């Protein structure tokens, strides 16, 4: 089915042609007509499914069709969990709105940067606001904007919003929105807390479940390389230098590891930078920008980068440290193989993380053959002293944190759904 049969205006179709989107993805085909009709939608979809355009296109169309008012009013509010996703969604909307007869103003607001420029920008109003919850409430408290006019609310990555502890903020924001509104709810997983939130917000929603095979369109080759934990950096350096990868996103467990590994790669003349939550927003933007522009070959990141970041043509993701949960594994490897491209996801598995990786395989219902690289064959065994149980892979503390428990609950919810 072509985009032209979904009821979109010629100006939007023109932008789609320019972006090179030839046909709608599964979620776009299902969601766009329903949203245009004013229906609530609940979509089970990951990043990579095309969900941003699935909600952005009909929102823009509704905006273009609405009579002009003397002052801009916020008509659409899009809540996202992270700054990076906010910036990405904002950019996507602006590029889709490019040929609309009336200029659409999209304000993107997130924390971690000065609030003043955002307040200044909002003085002349905005048609759409893409926001992380905390900063949105700060701006509302400063009287910089009102969301009482927002006829459409989008929750993007709702599970992640709750995971990150935004539940309370969400409750406050819902109370400030008009009671009569359209709600679009997107989430990768549907654990009980998300189901409950969806049930409380949505009115007779259209439920869209993009089948897993179509959803991520992943042409991702998953590999697992056995290596001693102490030789992982050397192996990484060897692979980066010998495999001819143009760009690699490497996931580690801690900010400290991100710094150390990036530093060691740089010493081997590999253009590498760390990416984690303690860097300033300016630095994070710079790293992402340089990675996108292919100035950087390697980014060594914590899970801050696991969700939502969209880097076209990223051929390789490496799990230097294994993710804590199967859900995180999916998000990490989903950074490659996007929009129909192929990708490789490599996990380093050492004696003490083998059991943890097997658990991830079990949850994912997959079996990844173990490989060894000549010169890096492991010599350590998996036996823990005094029969102690295998650790969780040396990934942060051993005791599950509150976040771990939430993640595990999310993973269980996902399994039940399957
Ligand atoms: P999203 O799931 O919204 O993060 O989108 C994932 C990627 O797919 C982005 O790079 C989009 O630009 C791209 N994309 C979205 N819709 C389409 C489409 N219909 N055809 C081709 N690429 C698309």
């Amino acid at each position: 089915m072509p985009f032209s049969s979904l009821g979109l205006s010629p100006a939007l179709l023109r932008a789609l042609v320019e972006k090179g989107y030839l046909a709608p993805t599964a979620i776009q085909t299902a969601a766009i007509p329903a949203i245009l009709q004013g229906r609530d939608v609940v979509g089970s979809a990951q990043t990579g499914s095309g969900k941003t355009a699935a909600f952005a296109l009909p929102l823009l169309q509704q905006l273009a069709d609405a009579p002009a008012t003397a002052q801009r009013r916020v008509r659409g509010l899009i809540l996202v969990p992270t700054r990076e996703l906010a910036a990405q969604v904002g950019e996507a909307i602006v590029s889709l709105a490019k040929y609309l007869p009336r200029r659409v103003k999209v304000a993107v607001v997130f924390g971690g940067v000065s609030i003043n420029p955002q307040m200044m920008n909002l003085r002349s109003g905005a048609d759409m606001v893409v926001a992380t919850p905390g900063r949105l409430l700060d701006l509302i408290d400063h009287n910089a904007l009102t969301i009482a006019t927002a006829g459409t609310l989008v929750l993007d990555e709702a599970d992640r919003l709750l995971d990150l502890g935004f539940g309370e903020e969400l409750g406050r924001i819902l109370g400030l929105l008009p009671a009569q509104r359209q709600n679009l709810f997107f989430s990768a997983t549907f654990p009980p807390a998300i189901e409950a939130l969806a049930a409380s917000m949505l009115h007779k929603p259209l439920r869209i479940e993009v089948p897993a095979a179509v959803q991520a369109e992943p042409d991702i080759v998953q590999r697992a390389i056995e290596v001693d934990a102490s030789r992982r950096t050397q192996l990484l350096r060897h692979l980066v230098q010998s495999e001819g990868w143009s760009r690699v996103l490497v996931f580690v467990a801690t900010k400290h590891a991100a710094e150390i590994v990036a530093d060691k790669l740089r010493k081997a003349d590999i253009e590498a930078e760390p990416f984690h939550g303690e860097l300033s927003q300016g630095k994070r933007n710079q790293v992402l920008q340089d990675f996108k522009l292919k100035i950087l070959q390697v980014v060594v990141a914590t899970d801050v980068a696991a969700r939502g970041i969209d880097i076209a043509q990223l051929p390789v993701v490496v799990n230097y440290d294994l993710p804590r949960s199967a859900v995180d594994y999916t998000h990490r490897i989903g950074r490659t193989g996007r929009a129909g491209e192929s990708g490789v996801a490599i996990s380093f598995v050492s004696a003490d993380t083998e059991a943890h990786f097997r658990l991830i395989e079990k949850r994912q219902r997959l079996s990844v053959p173990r490989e060894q690289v000549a010169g890096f064959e492991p010599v350590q065994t998996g036996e823990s002293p005094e029969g102690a149980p295998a650790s969780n892979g040396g990934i942060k503390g051993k005791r599950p944190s509150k976040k771990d428990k939430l993640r595990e609950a999310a993973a269980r919810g996902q399994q039940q759904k399957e």
Side-chain angles (χ1 to χ4, degrees), residues 151-311:
T152 307
L153 168 70
V154 181
L155 285 197
D156 197 4
E157 300 200 354
D159 51 355
R160 181 75 161 155
L161 278 163
L162 288 197
D163 263 3
L164 292 176
F166 282 129
E168 218 172 283
E169 284 88 347
L170 221 51
R172 241 195 96 195
I173 292 167
L174 293 180
L176 297 169
L177 286 163
Q180 279 285 347
R181 59 169 196 266
Q182 186 176 25
N183 297 291
L184 312 175
F185 191 107
F186 296 92
S187 193
T189 59
F190 280 80
I194 289 295
E195 287 290 1
L197 179 65
S200 71
M201 278 176 52
L202 300 166
H203 177 68
K204 293 188 184 159
L206 172 71
R207 204 168 180 118
I208 303 171
E209 297 209 18
V210 183
V214 184
Q215 182 162 295
E217 300 157 25
D219 190 2
I220 303 173
V221 177
Q222 299 180 52
R223 296 171 55 188
I225 301 181
E226 292 176 331
V227 58
D228 285 339
S230 58
R231 301 203 63 205
R232 287 174 300 172
T233 308
Q234 280 167 283
L235 174 61
L236 178 63
R237 203 173 66 200
H238 169 77
L239 292 172
V240 169
Q241 286 168 335
S242 62
E243 297 267 338
W245 296 331
S246 58
R247 278 181 305 171
V248 191
L249 180 59
V250 178
F251 283 104
V252 292
T254 64
K255 294 160 191 158
H256 183 64
E259 294 284 347
I260 300 275
V261 174
D263 195 45
K264 287 197 174 146
L265 293 176
R266 270 201 305 271
K267 285 188 177 132
D269 286 335
I270 295 167
E271 295 295 340
E273 284 288 342
F275 185 89
H276 54 75
E278 238 160 58
L279 298 173
S280 69
Q281 187 58 33
K283 177 71 183 171
R284 281 161 68 163
N285 290 344
Q286 181 71 50
V287 170
L288 276 189
Q289 181 83 352
D290 287 353
F291 200 39
K292 285 184 179 171
L293 292 174
K294 305 187 182 173
I295 295 169
L296 281 175
Q297 188 182 8
V298 183
V299 168
V300 188
T302 59
D303 276 304
V304 157
R307 287 228 197 183
I309 304 292
D310 182 28
I311 295 157

Side-chain angles (χ1 to χ4, degrees), residues 47-203:
T47 28
S49 57
K51 67 182 162 62
T52 313
F55 64 74
L57 286 164
L59 248 69
L60 286 168
Q61 173 97 14
Q62 285 165 345
L63 205 62
D65 291 347
T69 48
Q71 270 226 313
R72 284 183 201 281
R73 290 191 210 140
V74 178
R75 312 263 194 162
L77 172 65
I78 298 141
L79 288 179
V80 295
T82 63
R83 313 160 187 185
E84 282 76 22
L85 191 58
Q88 203 168 286
V89 168
E91 272 171 35
I93 298 176
V94 168
S95 70
L96 290 170
K98 190 168 167 191
Y99 295 110
L100 288 176
R102 203 154 20 100
R103 191 177 90 85
V104 173
K105 183 165 165 201
V106 183
V108 178
V109 299
F110 47 74
V113 292
S114 165
I115 198 168
N116 293 335
Q118 294 177 358
M119 289 177 67
M120 294 282 284
N121 183 37
L122 284 166
R123 273 199 190 156
S124 50
D127 301 298
M128 282 200 211
V129 175
V130 185
T132 53
R135 177 54 59 94
L136 178 74
L137 285 172
D138 282 348
L139 286 161
I140 291 171
D141 290 342
H142 280 85
N143 294 323
L145 89 160
T146 166
I147 55 170
T149 51
T152 307
L153 168 70
V154 181
L155 285 197
D156 197 4
E157 300 200 354
D159 51 355
R160 181 75 161 155
L161 278 163
L162 288 197
D163 263 3
L164 292 176
F166 282 129
E168 218 172 283
E169 284 88 347
L170 221 51
R172 241 195 96 195
I173 292 167
L174 293 180
L176 297 169
L177 286 163
Q180 279 285 347
R181 59 169 196 266
Q182 186 176 25
N183 297 291
L184 312 175
F185 191 107
F186 296 92
S187 193
T189 59
F190 280 80
I194 289 295
E195 287 290 1
L197 179 65
S200 71
M201 278 176 52
L202 300 166
H203 177 68

Side-chain angles (χ1 to χ4, degrees), residues 293-332:
L293 292 174
K294 305 187 182 173
I295 295 169
L296 281 175
Q297 188 182 8
V298 183
V299 168
V300 188
T302 59
D303 276 304
V304 157
R307 287 228 197 183
I309 304 292
D310 182 28
I311 295 157
Q313 291 152 6
L314 175 64
V316 187
V317 167
V318 173
N319 287 318
Y320 178 104
D321 286 318
L322 293 180
R324 288 187 164 203
S325 71
V327 173
D328 286 348
Y329 180 81
T330 312
H331 286 295
R332 284 185 180 187

Side-chain angles (χ1 to χ4, degrees), residues 3 20-25 28 46-53 310 338-339:
F3 271 115
Y21 293 5
L22 300 177
T25 63
Q28 290 162 2
Q46 320 250 2
T47 28
S49 57
K51 67 182 162 62
T52 313
D310 182 28
R338 314 224 344 125

